[in-house]
Amino acid sequence: MIIGSNLIFRESLASTNTEASLLLKRGDVQEGTVIHTDFQTSGRGQQGTTWESERGRNLLISIILYPQSVKPAEQFLISMTISLGVCDFIDGHAAGCKVKWPNDIYVKDFKIAGILIENSIMGDVTESTIAGIGLNINQEIFPGGIKNPSSLKLITGKELKTQECLSGLLSALDKRYKQLLYGDRKKIHEEYKARLYRYNELHDYRAGRKIIKGRISDVSVSGILTIKDESGTTHRFSFKDVDFMI
């Protein structure tokens, strides 16, 4: 294995991504090192949001990678790869896993996981990546401010062993990461599109003060989302430029 070849457990951390960043700054870290914890005091999500999780009930991990063959212009392939790995694991427990762009993981219309990818770029090389994943396993009650949250237990009705889930998740991620390094990247792109939440469905999206009714038709390897509106006009959005209306 690459992912999961070295496991570091801490009972509590401010953030697994922050801890991974500190490890990288201190010196050489084996590729595939996974930092995991039972509780985060300052868990981080996408776009400056926080990630809240009940102690010991979920998976909170960060993975250190060196995907130097992935060009910075194609760095969203890393996010696609990690998202697909998470979905592969969830498929073994529940049907209907989707990726809400850029990298929230849904089962049907409920959010079950979030991913935070932090890449270090030097020139034309992606030197390192920290892939943070929060996956809800057994949590049943969530803070009121979180939109449509869920967990594997709520979906399946079964209490799961988090250590077994961790092993299964890392195995699924490892297979996908090897596909990124040595396999068919075009297939990763196509599978990610097929997994997209609301892909090719007609929905409303908010871009600034404007509401667009359209269909998601593509996501580029640089992470740009394409929506075609009812008139056939194409709109392209970077992160933070468009919101899903639920």
Side-chain angles (χ1 to χ4, degrees):
M1 292 180 70
I2 299 174
I3 293 180
S5 56
N6 181 34
L7 300 180
I8 299 173
F9 173 71
R10 300 286 185 265
E11 287 189 8
S12 178
L13 286 170
S15 157
T16 56
N17 266 37
T18 299
E19 183 71 9
S21 179
L22 290 172
L23 286 175
L24 280 172
K25 289 177 181 177
R26 288 173 191 153
D28 291 336
V29 183
Q30 180 178 328
E31 183 171 33
T33 291
V34 175
I35 298 96
H36 63 114
T37 187
D38 280 343
F39 186 69
Q40 293 183 134
T41 57
S42 302
R44 293 188 286 133
Q46 281 286 339
Q47 303 175 7
T49 60
T50 59
W51 183 266
E52 297 189 33
S53 175
E54 187 178 343
R55 183 183 292 272
R57 303 289 286 167
N58 305 312
L59 291 182
L60 303 168
I61 73 171
S62 290
I63 307 161
I64 295 173
L65 302 169
Y66 303 114
Q68 296 179 0
S69 64
V70 179
K71 299 295 184 184
E74 299 179 330
Q75 63 184 285
F76 196 70
L77 276 168
I78 302 167
S79 182
M80 292 179 179
T81 300
I82 298 299
S83 296
L84 288 174
V86 175
C87 285
D88 291 342
F89 166 74
I90 292 172
D91 284 346
H93 298 274
C97 187
K98 297 290 184 180
V99 183
K100 180 175 174 285
W101 177 87
N103 43 22
D104 282 338
I105 307 299
Y106 273 45
V107 173
K108 297 181 180 178
D109 289 318
F110 296 94
K111 182 176 177 178
I112 194 170
I115 297 169
L116 177 61
I117 304 290
E118 296 180 305
N119 295 317
S120 177
I121 308 295
M122 186 68 70
D124 199 31
V125 176
T126 305
E127 289 209 326
S128 65
T129 292
I130 298 171
I133 301 168
L135 173 57
N136 297 329
I137 302 295
N138 291 315
Q139 188 161 337
E140 297 178 80
I141 300 173
F142 295 87
I146 300 176
K147 291 183 179 179
N148 57 334
S150 193
S151 67
L152 282 178
K153 182 175 182 181
L154 288 174
I155 291 166
T156 66
K158 299 176 182 178
E159 181 92 8
L160 300 172
K161 295 181 179 179
T162 54
Q163 277 303 118
E164 290 182 2
C165 289
L166 176 62
S167 296
L169 175 61
L170 296 183
S171 177
L173 290 167
D174 187 64
K175 290 176 183 177
R176 284 293 184 177
Y177 186 57
K178 287 171 180 171
Q179 182 184 8
L180 175 68
L181 296 182
Y182 314 120
D184 188 346
R185 293 181 179 180
K186 184 177 180 181
K187 187 175 180 181
I188 290 173
H189 188 194
E190 292 302 317
E191 287 190 58
Y192 179 87
K193 286 198 296 183
R195 284 275 192 182
L196 279 172
Y197 179 66
R198 294 185 175 177
Y199 181 64
N200 205 30
E201 298 176 5
L202 190 64
H203 288 279
D204 289 337
Y205 300 89
R206 184 187 303 277
R209 297 181 179 179
K210 186 178 180 181
I211 303 299
I212 297 171
K213 183 178 287 292
R215 302 174 189 270
I216 294 174
S217 60
D218 194 15
V219 178
S220 72
V221 293
S222 62
I224 301 300
L225 181 73
T226 299
I227 297 174
K228 287 188 178 180
D229 67 23
E230 292 180 295
S231 69
T233 302
T234 297
H235 306 264
R236 292 182 175 86
F237 300 101
S238 300
F239 306 147
K240 301 184 182 182
D241 289 345
V242 63
D243 294 318
F244 288 60
M245 297 189 67
I246 297 175

